[in-house]
DNA sequence: CATCAACCCTGAGAGC
DNA sequence: TGCTCTCAGGGTTGAT
């Protein structure tokens, strides 16, 4: 499930290209094929198919878990949700025949030079927008955790203004943009904070540690090109370095206590009951 | 405001 | 073997 590091990895690959594949920057759309109509959230498909051809990709950006492509006129925005992926491929096989879509291909963006951007999405939760103003889609997102203008004091103030459970709050994209289930569990373990701690009981010092560990986990995820989980995004190897996520019943790397799993806000949550104590906080 | 259930989907894994 | 059932997961929506 792509979270900030996986999205960052994908956007960097699209930006840089490689020896076999060109960058998406500077590519001009020729046509679009939509195989699953619900993948296009806005505008309606007919308008989407009409509006995109002729526009050039000017840049690649990431905002939270969104991929953002400023175009010559509009903005193309993609959210991969659970199982989405975006990759550049050639339109034709070596023998010259046109490649047929795989069962999980949902959208093909064809470029004028014969390359195409493929949107794969097994579980069909992904969403694509084509809008004149990116703020229409990205406007409600919270701060970027890796943005240096975002400080521990800012985080402390934001935590203090709510009385919510820490984990669901950190996963709330309007509170902070980019953390999902994996990186939140890993962060809270590193910061030695219980997932059910009330946000308004966090001290300024704890907020400082929390932000530091958020950044540390995200940067390690990016350095390892993200985590490859099940059917989802493949490429990185951060899944081999999880400390608590999906390690229920295993020993805590800090203290050896058995990792527990509970449900928090409808999400499975992994933590160490020894390192991450709740009892003293009502 | 905070919480929660339901929903959108598929495929893996369990149970029979 | 092959069927049915359960579940995960991000984000939205509507109810409590």
């Amino acid at each position: 499930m792509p979270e900030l590091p996986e999205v960052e990895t994908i956007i960097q690959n699209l930006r840089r290209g490689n020896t076999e594949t060109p960058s998406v920057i500077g590519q001009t759309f020729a046509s679009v094929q939509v195989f699953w109509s619900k993948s296009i959230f806005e505008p309606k498909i007919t308008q989407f198919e009409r509006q995109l051809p002729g526009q050039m990709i000017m840049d690649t950006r990431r905002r939270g878990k969104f991929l953002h492509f400023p175009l010559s006129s509009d903005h193309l925005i993609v959210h991969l949700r659970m199982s989405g992926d975006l990759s550049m491929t050639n339109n034709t096989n070596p023998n010259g025949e046109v490649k047929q879509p795989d069962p999980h291909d949902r959208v093909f963006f064809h470029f004028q030079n014969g390359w195409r951007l493929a949107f794969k999405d097994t579980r069909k939760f992904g969403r694509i927008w084509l809008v004149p103003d990116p703020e229409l889609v990205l406007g409600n997102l919270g701060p970027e955790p890796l943005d240096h203008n975002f400080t521990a004091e800012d985080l402390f103030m934001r935590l203090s203004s709510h009385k919510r459970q820490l984990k669901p709050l950190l996963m709330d994209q309007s509170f902070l943009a980019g953390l999902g289930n994996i990186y939140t569990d890993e962060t809270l373990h590193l910061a030695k904070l219980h997932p059910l701690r009330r946000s308004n009981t966090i001290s300024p010092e704890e907020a400082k540690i929390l932000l530091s560990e958020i950044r540390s986990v995200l940067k390690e995820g990016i350095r390892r090109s993200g985590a490859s989980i099940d059917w989802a995004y493949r490429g990185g190897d951060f899944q081999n370095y999880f400390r608590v996520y999906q390690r229920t019943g295993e020993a805590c790397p800090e203290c050896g206590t058995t990792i527990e799993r509970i449900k928090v806000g409808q999400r499975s949550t992994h933590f160490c009951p020894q390192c991450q104590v709740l009892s003293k906080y009502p």
Side-chain angles (χ1 to χ4, degrees), chain A residues 77-241:
Chain A
I77 298 174
V78 179
H79 197 300
L80 303 171
R81 291 282 186 96
M82 301 299 303
S83 58
D85 193 15
L86 270 181
S87 60
M88 279 288 265
T89 52
N90 206 309
N91 253 338
T92 53
N93 287 315
N95 61 13
E97 67 190 32
V98 175
K99 283 182 192 166
Q100 293 305 301
D102 291 337
H104 296 146
D105 283 327
R106 305 303 176 203
V107 181
F108 280 170
F109 299 88
H110 298 280
F111 295 118
Q112 288 181 351
N113 63 358
W115 286 86
R116 74 183 176 207
L117 185 62
F119 176 63
K120 282 184 194 289
D121 187 18
T122 306
R123 299 207 171 167
K124 299 178 173 175
F125 285 167
R127 292 282 168 80
I128 297 173
W129 294 258
L130 182 63
V131 290
D133 178 2
E135 287 303 299
L136 294 172
V137 181
L138 309 175
N140 289 329
L141 288 174
E144 278 295 321
L146 295 178
D147 180 354
H148 289 298
N149 293 319
F150 179 59
T151 67
E153 290 72 39
D154 295 333
L155 178 60
F156 171 71
M157 292 303 289
R158 292 177 75 86
L159 289 167
S160 305
S161 68
H162 295 276
K163 299 178 191 170
R164 292 176 58 185
Q165 297 168 337
L166 205 44
K167 170 157 177 177
L169 184 57
L170 289 175
M171 289 181 64
D172 185 331
Q173 301 300 297
S174 65
F175 180 81
L176 189 66
L179 290 184
N181 211 31
I182 296 173
Y183 291 89
T184 306
D185 280 3
E186 294 297 304
T187 293
L188 290 175
H189 181 257
L190 280 166
K192 299 195 190 301
L193 294 169
H194 194 286
L196 295 177
R197 261 291 281 286
R198 291 288 156 177
S199 58
N200 60 333
T201 70
I202 299 293
S203 70
E205 180 58 27
E206 286 174 318
K208 188 175 176 182
I209 293 169
L210 178 57
L211 182 57
S212 167
E213 298 298 359
I214 288 171
R215 288 179 169 158
S216 159
V217 167
L218 292 176
K219 283 179 183 171
E220 189 189 359
I222 292 170
R223 191 164 56 77
R224 299 192 184 282
S225 301
S228 308
I229 295 285
D230 300 335
W231 60 90
Y233 168 81
R234 295 176 190 283
D237 68 341
F238 186 56
Q239 71 278 8
N240 298 326
Y241 301 89

